[in-house]
Every structure is written in structure tokens, then in C-alpha cells.
Amino acid sequence: MENISIGIQKSGRLSEKSLDLLKESGIILANGSRKLLSSSRNFPLEAVFLRDDDIPQYVFDRVTDVGIVGENVVREKGHDLQIVERLGFARCRMSIALPRSVDFGSLDQLNGKRIATSYPNILETFLAETHVDAEIHVISGSVEIAPGIGLADAIFDIVSTGSTLISNGLKEVEVVMESEAVMVTNPGLSPDKQEILEKLLFRIRAVRKSHDHKYILLNAPNDRLDEIIKVIPGMKSPTVMPLAEEGWSSVHSVLNENEFWEIIDRLRELGAQGILVIPIEKMIT
Ligand code: PRT
Ligand code: ZN
């Protein structure tokens, strides 16, 4: 039986969430991430633990069939890979930042300036698109200190909360791209491997969907039932069962996390009582 191999970051910001995703998909790995390789005993998958920067190349060269890596790294490496799923974690943006003391008007100001970054390819493409003629200085780490020590006039780096910029006296002036962890592949997998990938994606989607949905149970007075049901449509439609107490029903449904509090407020206005909200482990629609 054929296996699918998946490149996962060995240790870093993506590692834990990548492994959690496999685990929640019911895929048990033999020996965690301590070794280079780890096979699953209940799914035809082998995890290969790598530096995140190497993952696009490994996938491109078909050393691994798929990989989980930041979209920023995929873009920087420039291999023609297919994003098969956006995974919603390790969200960040790649931005240009300037010393706080510099007044910022427009990108033209960067003409003739030095920009320090570890992502020269993304930056170069952006500068070409926006017709800015700046000098790119490649630094491999601690890019944020470059302006302070006179090595550059600006930086182009990953920003998440923005606190690293603030503590280095910098301000974000231009967001060049948004990024999140993605699953990538090099198209043209064998039919067997493609089938395993589809199975894996089916599970991952069910897990991810369950994360932003909640199961809700509540008691509704029968005379407001129609209005209450309109507020919570459910996957198909809500389940309604009579309560032992006359004039009341129990309503069960599924809510989207985004509209959760609004719906709860609305339900209370409509006289719903005994509202219970329960996490969902898997969700298959
Ligand atoms: O050892 P290896 O090469 O595998 O790992 P790495 O050190 O190169 O990468 P790692 O683990 O730091 O990050 C992996 C991926 O996580 C990145 O490629 C991004 O896609 C994503 N990610 C999400 C981040 C951040 N958020 C993040 N905040 N990567 C880095 N940072 C750093 C950033 O460089 C800056 O120094 O955190 C700082 C900014 O954070 P804030 O919150 O202060 O703005
Ligand atoms: Zn790295």
C-alpha cells in the first residue's frame, strides 16, 4: 500500500498546530517529532520533520508529497506549488516598517533607501510592481534591529501583533501580503497518493469546520418557536422536540462562531431559556 509523505516543521511556530491537525484528524504518529521520520500506524501517512524554509523545495522535488508551511515562505521560495488547503493558523502579515520618527507620505519615499529583509524575493517583486527603486539588504535574523544600528533605512518583515516593531522604535507603513499556514503539493501525484490526499483533506476540513462551530441546545416557549428557529437555521434545519412541560420545546442546532454572541442575545430576547453551548469535535456536512 502506498503512503503519502508530509513535510512538517520540526520545531517552531508551525510545529504544534500542524501535529494537532493530524491528531484531530485521527492520525496517530509513532514517535512524535523527535525523529526525522514518523509513520502513522492507522493512516497511510509518513511525517518528515524539516526546517520550514526547506519544505517548499522538498515538495517541489517530490521528496515529500505535501507540506505544511507559511504562505510567506512558499511565495519567497517561488516554486510553482499548489495550495490545496488554507489552514487558518500562524496568521501574520509581511510589511514594510520605518523608524517612528520618519514622516511617511507615500512609497516613493523609499526610492534610493536601503531596506533590510530576510524575504528579498517577495520584496523585490513588490518594489518592481510599485516602481520603487530601493536597495535590498538581505539579513538572516533580527531584521528589526537594522535601522537602529544604521544598517538600513527601513525593514520588510513578518508582523503579527506589532509589538516587535514598537519595541524597536518602528512603525508599519505598508502591508505587502497576508499569510497563514497552508498545505501545498506539487500537482501530478499518483492516483493512489491523490486518493490518500483527498481522504486527508476530507478529515482536515471536518476538523477545521468543527472549530468554528458550536452545538446549541435551548428551551423555547412554543409561541415563539417560529421566530427562534429563524434565528438559528442549523446545518439543515434545527431539531425540535417537545419538553415534558406543556408549551415548551427543546431546540438543537449548530451555530457559527462568528455570529455566536449576536444570536445568543437575540435568542434571549425571544424568551429562550436554559441555553447550552457545546464544542463540536468533527463536522461533516
Ligand atoms: O527553524 P525554522 O527555520 O523551521 O523556523 P523559523 O524560525 O524560520 O520560523 P518560525 O517558526 O519563527 O515561523 C514559521 C512561520 O510562522 C513563519 O514563516 C510565518 O509564516 C509564521 N508566523 C506567524 C510568524 C509569526 N507569526 C511571527 N510573529 N513568524 C515569525 N514571527 C516573528 C517575526 O519574525 C517577528 O520577529 O515574530 C516577530 C513579530 O511578532 P510580533 O507579534 O511582535 O509582531
Ligand atoms: Zn525558517
Side-chain angles (χ1 to χ4, degrees), residues 154-166:
I155 67 163
F156 172 62
D157 201 7
I158 296 172
V159 182
S160 170
T161 61
S163 56
T164 301
L165 293 184
I166 290 172

Side-chain angles (χ1 to χ4, degrees), residues 97-112:
L98 293 176
R100 209 164 30 219
S101 55
V102 176
D103 278 328
F104 180 72
S106 76
L107 287 173
D108 293 343
Q109 260 170 271
L110 295 170
N111 276 309

Side-chain angles (χ1 to χ4, degrees), residues 170-191:
L170 301 168
K171 62 178 174 188
E172 189 175 7
V173 297
E174 178 81 19
V175 177
V176 173
M177 75 172 284
E178 309 269 352
S179 177
E180 66 188 285
V182 291
M183 184 178 286
V184 287
T185 188
N186 186 350
L189 295 182
S190 71

Side-chain angles (χ1 to χ4, degrees), residues 66-82:
V66 294
I68 295 179
V69 65
E71 199 177 352
N72 54 325
V73 175
V74 177
R75 174 105 57 104
E76 178 63 22
K77 299 297 173 188
H79 302 294
D80 192 13
L81 299 179
Q82 185 194 353

